[in-house]
Amino acid sequence: MCGISGFYSPSAAFSEQKKYYAPILSEMRQSLRHRGPDDSGTLLTDHCGLAHTRLSIIDLENGRQPMSQYREGFGYHIVYNGEIYNLDELKEKLRARNVSWQTTSDTEILLLSFMTFGADFVQDVDGIFAFAIYDERHDILTLFRDCFGVKPLFYTALKDTLIFASEPKGCLCYPGVKAVLDKNGLNEILSLGPARSPGCGVFKDFYELLPGSYMTCSRYGRKITRYYRLISRPHTDSYEETVEKASFLIQDAIRRQMVSDVPICTFLSGGVDSSVVSAVCGAELKKRGETLTTYSFDFKENDKYFKANSFQPSQDRPYVEKMVSFLGSDHHYLECGNHRQADLLTRSVDAHDLPCMADIDSSLQHFCEEVSHTHKVVLTGECADEVFGGYPWFHREEMLSSGTFPWTPSLAPRKALLATELTESLCMEEYVQDVYCRFIREINVLPEENETETNRRRIGYLNIRFFMQTLLNRMDRTSMYSGLEARVPFADRKLVDYVFNIPWEMKAKGGVVKNILRQASRGLLPEEILFRRKSPYPKTYNPYYENLLAGRLRESLADAGSPLRPLLNMPALNQFLDNPKDYGSPWYGQLMAGPQMIAYLLQFDYFLKKYKVSLQL
């Protein structure tokens, strides 16, 4: 895993003005150093600059970037962030064309595949990636992103100069690129946030390359090609065949994602998702005579303050202990304190360049930093709920037919704290509804499906396109900020393609949520783990934490120069801060309730200050 950045202009002469552009490229690279602290490099040609920071996972000796190949005197150059899981297949296709390679680096194989087959070769690539290739012969820069957007790639433009980077901070290093929020950007943060529209970079004129797409940039302009999309198909396999095939696809995805020249570990919550990943990894390592290292997370004193609710029915630790005993793993229990996760709220914004999932992000960032001291690669159970239908909005009728994003059923909790003039100016409900309808239109329904099944298909699609993307963003930024590569086997293309079309009567047969995943994992896990009721990522229930946040927000807003204060309804906010919060009624997803609203406002305030954001209302 790495950080990439660069710029391209068909009318420039960058190499002739090296003294000016080389420091810019170096600053862009340095801004992403946390993503790859092991090595770095830059390349400056007449029309293109490329920068790279490297986290060494595969071919530690020969994988330095930017990497170049030459044919007939013309250079082809690549900067790449990701991992490829079907490298042998790609090599076979090159071998059939008598193309040879010099290293074991997947970077070289990607570059040679592009040079041999053209940009459409990416359709055959199985992995998580974002990369840029500059073709000097034709003066074309091509940007690529993986199917589900596991790896990020942002871009903006000044006249005919395209600027790109793994994170917005890289683009903001380029002279003339400013942090500006217009009404759309504010709606992304205040109405959709911490989610955002696919392809939206939130800052004005910032974009993120859509998952499953590549973009070509040349003297003739820019063109985006969609090489992958989810397709609705009738499911023809029997229930027994479905379970068997799902079992193969799950285990195959996990095994393929274990590729690494450095030791791997797993996150283990004691739920079925992370336990399946850990069980398969543990069994594979045992064959090599190695022991799997696992990590679990919790908060100090949570055993004292935890109260079960419909969203978080149980604590993880008892189930983690059972899985550790079952796996025989080298396990580490990690804890986060209230002050620590509050202090890291600002660093979470530093990692995202935006307000994010508040303390859900900051605590995970703490845990990832702890893991990064001993490991560079971790496999997680992320995305299983989006793919297999683990959330309540898949089966609760009122959520299925809500006609909006089910993880944000109402904007009322947000609007109540914002200035009336702002909410009226933003037209928040209309903005959300427009985005919702725009992406609902993308998915084709099947004629034989009834209204309930059609709604489930649409919600399944939105989960993968929207909600899963939010969690993938969280996983990438929190892990890569400490140079830890997180892999997500449940976001495997073959697995998602198959499971997306399994009918609900199979996915939840007998009323069992994620039934297919549980049945497909029989024999891998103890029964009590296999059928444990879903409990999401843990959070603190200590009332001291809420009071700590409220005090910090009051202090920040007491500053007359606070950029956030004019955007708020201060009487309503003060009343909100004075009253206890409901920990069981989220305003986003399943975890973000009252305390997270305070944390989100703290992040927004810090974001406006740090990035010197200009508002265009």
Side-chain angles (χ1 to χ4, degrees):
M1 290 299 167
C2 310
I4 66 172
S5 54
F7 42 79
Y8 165 80
S9 169
S11 64
F14 295 132
S15 58
E16 293 180 11
Q17 303 176 59
K18 188 174 182 179
K19 288 185 178 180
Y20 179 77
Y21 286 103
I24 296 171
L25 201 56
S26 295
E27 186 180 352
M28 295 175 72
R29 178 196 64 193
Q30 188 62 31
S31 73
L32 301 173
R33 188 62 188 248
H34 54 277
R35 296 185 66 90
D38 296 335
D39 195 9
S40 64
T42 60
L43 174 75
L44 196 62
T45 71
D46 283 347
H47 297 159
C48 185
L50 300 175
H52 187 263
T53 61
R54 186 183 182 209
L55 183 67
S56 301
I57 304 295
I58 301 292
D59 197 343
L60 310 187
E61 296 295 325
N62 301 305
R64 193 174 189 203
Q65 300 181 43
M67 185 178 286
S68 302
Q69 294 278 345
Y70 294 88
R71 283 186 184 170
E72 300 177 6
F74 293 100
Y76 299 81
H77 316 283
I78 182 172
V79 284
Y80 157 59
N81 166 31
E83 298 295 342
I84 305 304
Y85 305 132
N86 66 333
L87 209 55
D88 289 341
E89 295 175 23
L90 299 179
K91 287 179 177 179
E92 282 301 316
K93 292 182 179 182
L94 290 173
R95 190 176 286 114
R97 296 287 295 270
N98 297 315
V99 176
S100 60
W101 48 92
Q102 304 302 315
T103 72
T104 60
S105 169
D106 48 2
T107 309
E108 183 182 12
I109 299 304
L110 289 177
L111 184 54
L112 290 173
S113 296
F114 173 86
M115 294 168 64
T116 305
F117 302 108
D120 284 332
F121 89 96
V122 72
Q123 298 176 80
D124 299 322
V125 179
D126 175 17
I128 54 176
F129 54 81
F131 59 95
I133 296 179
Y134 178 56
D135 169 1
E136 282 189 8
R137 178 195 291 268
H138 301 100
D139 189 21
I140 296 175
L141 174 73
T142 309
L143 306 181
F144 300 84
R145 196 168 181 216
D146 65 66
C147 293
F148 299 114
V150 179
K151 293 290 102 183
L153 188 55
F154 293 85
Y155 66 93
T156 188
L158 291 175
K159 296 183 179 179
D160 72 344
T161 300
L162 182 95
I163 304 106
F164 69 91
S166 295
E167 298 171 8
K169 60 174 62 67
C171 297
L172 289 168
C173 292
Y174 195 91
V177 176
K178 304 295 184 183
V180 178
L181 286 182
D182 58 12
K183 288 184 179 180
N184 288 344
L186 280 169
N187 263 312
E188 290 289 324
I189 293 173
L190 298 175
S191 303
L192 289 176
R196 53 187 169 81
S197 305
C200 178
V202 182
F203 294 115
K204 185 180 179 182
D205 298 325
F206 269 63
Y207 305 92
E208 190 171 22
L209 186 61
L210 283 168
S213 300
Y214 66 83
M215 180 170 69
T216 54
C217 311
S218 72
R219 72 192 69 173
Y220 306 109
R222 297 189 290 271
K223 175 188 176 184
I224 295 178
T225 300
R226 191 85 172 266
Y227 70 85
Y228 171 83
R229 65 178 68 244
L230 276 173
I231 298 176
S232 300
R233 297 186 181 91
H235 185 77
T236 57
D237 291 345
S238 69
Y239 176 73
E240 291 74 20
E241 290 170 335
T242 300
V243 170
E244 181 179 4
K245 188 167 184 178
S247 180
F248 169 79
L249 290 171
I250 292 166
Q251 295 184 56
D252 180 60
I254 297 168
R255 292 190 185 103
R256 281 186 286 110
Q257 296 198 21
M258 291 178 67
V259 58
S260 175
D261 290 340
V262 297
I264 67 168
C265 64
T266 66
F267 290 163
L268 177 63
S269 71
V272 62
D273 311 337
S274 65
S275 295
V276 169
V277 173
S278 297
V280 174
C281 287
E284 289 299 305
L285 290 178
K286 192 173 291 184
K287 294 176 184 177
R288 309 175 197 171
E290 302 173 17
T291 299
L292 174 69
T293 301
T294 53
Y295 294 90
S296 63
F297 316 137
D298 208 344
F299 294 89
K300 292 179 180 178
E301 298 187 316
N302 245 12
D303 55 341
K304 177 180 177 182
Y305 294 103
F306 176 79
K307 291 182 180 179
N309 58 57
S310 60
F311 292 99
Q312 206 141 23
S314 62
Q315 289 188 276
D316 286 338
R317 178 127 187 179
Y319 296 93
V320 171
E321 290 173 349
K322 291 172 184 175
M323 272 306 298
V324 169
S325 176
F326 178 78
L327 292 171
S329 64
D330 173 22
H331 188 74
H332 302 265
Y333 293 96
L334 303 180
E335 284 191 326
C336 186
N338 293 310
H339 271 281
R340 178 65 172 163
Q341 69 168 342
D343 290 344
L344 287 178
L345 287 171
T346 55
R347 202 169 76 168
S348 293
V349 176
D350 296 340
H352 282 261
D353 300 319
L354 291 167
C356 50
M357 291 187 75
D359 47 45
I360 314 303
D361 267 73
S362 65
S363 59
L364 184 56
Q365 194 172 65
H366 164 75
F367 296 132
C368 287
E369 183 179 7
E370 292 297 301
V371 173
S372 73
H373 297 321
T374 54
H375 286 81
K376 289 185 178 182
V377 180
V378 60
L379 273 71
T380 81
E382 203 75 83
C383 302
D385 286 313
E386 289 80 8
V387 175
F388 286 92
Y391 294 115
W393 43 77
F394 280 98
H395 47 84
R396 291 186 185 174
E397 180 56 39
E398 70 276 14
M399 291 183 166
L400 275 175
S401 56
S402 66
T404 189
F405 298 110
W407 44 86
T408 312
S410 171
L411 295 181
R414 306 161 183 247
K415 293 180 66 176
L417 303 180
L418 299 175
T420 302
E421 298 83 0
L422 178 64
T423 60
E424 290 177 351
S425 173
L426 295 182
C427 302
M428 296 170 69
E429 282 89 353
E430 291 86 345
Y431 186 87
V432 171
Q433 190 63 23
D434 178 69
V435 174
Y436 173 80
C437 291
R438 178 154 40 101
F439 286 92
I440 280 288
R441 291 195 296 268
E442 288 187 351
I443 186 63
N444 292 325
V445 300
L446 297 180
E448 68 267 24
E449 291 177 337
N450 60 32
E451 183 178 358
T452 299
E453 287 304 308
T454 296
N455 284 337
R456 283 201 178 102
R457 179 175 294 281
R458 287 171 172 160
I459 283 181
Y461 181 76
L462 291 176
N463 265 269
I464 293 168
R465 287 281 274 148
F466 264 84
F467 199 71
M468 189 169 91
Q469 187 65 64
T470 306
L471 301 187
L472 289 172
N473 290 340
R474 178 187 72 172
M475 195 75 259
D476 176 82
R477 305 311 192 280
T478 55
S479 60
M480 292 302 294
Y481 200 76
S482 298
L484 175 69
E485 174 184 316
R487 299 179 182 175
V488 280
F490 287 110
D492 176 76
R493 180 171 64 182
K494 292 178 183 177
L495 177 62
V496 175
D497 280 344
Y498 184 72
V499 177
F500 177 68
N501 287 296
I502 298 175
W504 186 252
E505 63 188 28
M506 291 187 184
K507 282 182 180 174
K509 186 175 182 180
V512 178
V513 176
K514 295 198 295 192
N515 170 70
I516 289 293
L517 173 59
R518 299 179 198 276
Q519 297 298 333
S521 303
R522 280 193 176 277
L524 297 175
L525 307 175
E527 288 287 302
E528 56 199 320
I529 302 294
L530 198 61
F531 290 96
R532 179 191 175 190
R533 186 180 170 192
K534 172 180 170 54
S535 189
Y537 177 84
K539 65 179 182 178
T540 184
Y541 286 82
N542 189 333
Y544 170 75
Y545 176 65
E546 178 185 331
N547 295 331
L548 175 66
L549 294 179
R552 291 188 179 187
L553 185 58
R554 288 185 194 276
E555 181 181 353
S556 183
L557 294 177
D559 178 4
S562 165
L564 178 61
R565 187 183 177 94
L567 305 181
L568 299 176
N569 180 335
M570 290 304 298
L573 178 66
N574 288 326
Q575 184 178 6
F576 174 72
L577 295 178
D578 286 340
N579 293 302
K581 312 307 174 301
D582 183 352
Y583 282 75
S585 299
W587 54 273
Y588 179 82
Q590 299 180 94
L591 296 174
M592 300 187 72
Q596 286 68 46
M597 178 66 80
I598 306 174
Y600 193 66
L601 290 175
L602 275 168
Q603 287 191 325
F604 190 30
D605 183 60
Y606 172 77
F607 162 75
L608 292 171
K609 293 173 182 175
K610 177 184 175 175
Y611 291 86
K612 298 180 174 61
V613 177
S614 299
L615 301 182
Q616 291 186 356
L617 297 175

